[in-house]
């Protein structure tokens, strides 16, 4: 039984726009802007939930992403909205030998087969695998961009192997996440963020899904 998301409502203003340049690598991408958040320790109930499955609490924003990951099986990623230079999220393939410094503070060289989430100056995240340190949410962040997407399993598997990375996100994406759940998981996480970190939703969900997925119906006698 999935938790309800009926209380989700769009906000005023315009959320950060999204442009997907490679829909084969990212067949469905959704994102949402939330402003006025207060990053800090998660409430006790959330910390206990994560500790019970062996996940270390970090802060309320990251903890909610991890909670929804285990609750629904959908990876999420959060960006500091102020780090989105140029005011637009671009989902694309990396340029050959393009670089990104990831959360483990390693400078990584990318290949042209790797999917990235980028701003006007370069990659912010290795899509579906690992985040970048320059766009990560910290205690100083007040506005965030929340991502929930379906990435091509083969592409994620290739990138994870070439970079020597296996994360909770890549583990699920390379095996095939549920392509119908990204928007639902985004709403679920957004409501939890409002509950645990305050803030308000800006505009509506940005969704790019050129060929919408449909549920398979199997008739049994």
């Amino acid at each position: 039984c999935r938790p309800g998301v009926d209380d989700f409502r769009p906000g005023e203003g315009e959320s950060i726009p999204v442009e997907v340049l490679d829909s084969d690598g990212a067949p469905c991408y959704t994102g949402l802007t939330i402003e006025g958040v207060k990053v800090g320790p998660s409430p006790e109930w959330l910390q206990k939930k994560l500790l019970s499955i062996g996940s270390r609490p970090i802060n309320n924003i990251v903890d909610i992403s991890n909670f929804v990951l285990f609750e629904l099986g959908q990876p999420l990623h959060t960006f500091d909205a102020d780090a989105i230079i140029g005011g637009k999220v671009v989902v694309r393939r990396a340029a050959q030998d393009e670089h990104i410094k990831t959360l483990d503070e390693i400078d990584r060289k990318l290949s042209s087969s790797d999917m990235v989430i980028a701003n006007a100056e370069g990659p912010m995240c290795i899509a579906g695998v690992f985040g970048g340190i320059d766009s990560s949410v910290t205690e100083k962040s007040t506005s965030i961009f929340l991502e929930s997407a379906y990435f091509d399993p083969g592409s994620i598997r290739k990138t994870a192997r070439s970079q020597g990375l296996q994360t909770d996100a890549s583990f699920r994406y390379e095996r095939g996440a549920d392509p119908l759940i990204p928007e639902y998981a985004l709403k679920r996480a957004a409501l939890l963020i409002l509950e645990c970190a305050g803030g308000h939703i800006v505009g509506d969900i940005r969704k790019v899904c050129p060929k919408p997925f449909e549920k398979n119906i199997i008739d049994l006698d």
Side-chain angles (χ1 to χ4, degrees):
C1 181
R2 292 179 177 176
V5 296
D6 294 339
D7 292 334
F8 178 88
R9 298 289 184 275
E12 296 181 355
E14 290 291 327
S15 60
I16 295 171
V18 171
E19 182 178 16
V20 177
L21 299 181
D22 191 321
S23 58
D24 290 332
C28 186
Y29 189 92
T30 67
L32 184 68
T33 306
I34 303 177
E35 293 182 349
V37 299
K38 185 175 181 180
V39 180
S42 294
E44 185 178 1
W45 71 265
L46 180 52
Q47 293 192 39
K48 285 184 175 180
K49 288 283 189 181
L50 293 175
L51 289 169
S52 71
I53 56 172
S55 180
R56 179 175 63 88
I58 298 173
N59 62 50
N60 45 11
I61 303 298
V62 175
D63 292 351
I64 287 166
S65 295
N66 289 333
F67 178 75
V68 174
L69 168 69
F70 285 101
E71 182 183 50
L72 299 176
Q74 172 61 30
L76 303 169
H77 191 74
T78 51
F79 302 85
D80 185 326
D82 291 333
I84 303 175
I85 300 167
K88 181 168 67 173
V89 172
V90 181
V91 186
R92 60 172 174 82
R93 297 284 178 179
Q96 186 65 36
D97 296 333
E98 196 168 19
H99 284 256
I100 181 174
K101 182 177 283 189
T102 45
L103 289 168
D104 53 5
E105 298 189 355
I106 294 176
D107 187 61
R108 298 180 183 274
K109 184 186 291 187
L110 303 171
S111 74
S112 58
S113 63
D114 298 326
M115 290 293 297
V116 296
I117 313 302
N119 59 28
E121 292 190 351
M124 299 186 294
C125 172
I126 304 176
V129 179
F130 209 26
I133 196 167
D134 293 334
S135 62
S136 62
V137 174
T138 70
E139 287 73 15
K140 296 180 180 180
S141 303
T142 57
S143 300
I144 63 170
F145 180 81
L146 179 63
E147 165 194 286
S148 180
Y150 174 77
F151 296 112
D152 174 66
S155 177
I156 299 300
R157 187 180 304 114
K158 184 176 181 179
T159 296
R161 297 295 183 275
S162 66
Q163 292 293 339
L165 289 168
Q166 185 177 65
T167 62
D168 286 332
S170 69
F171 181 86
R172 287 159 177 78
Y173 278 130
E174 64 185 66
R175 286 161 176 77
D178 183 352
L180 296 172
I181 209 173
E183 184 175 353
Y184 180 92
L186 188 76
K187 291 179 179 179
R188 170 64 168 159
L191 292 175
L192 286 172
I193 288 171
L194 298 185
E195 175 185 340
C196 300
H200 59 275
I201 294 170
V202 179
D204 205 349
I205 292 172
R206 298 285 187 173
K207 183 175 182 179
V208 182
C209 192
K211 298 178 181 179
F213 293 90
E214 295 182 359
K215 291 182 179 180
N216 289 326
I217 299 175
I218 301 174
D219 294 320
L220 303 175
D221 60 23

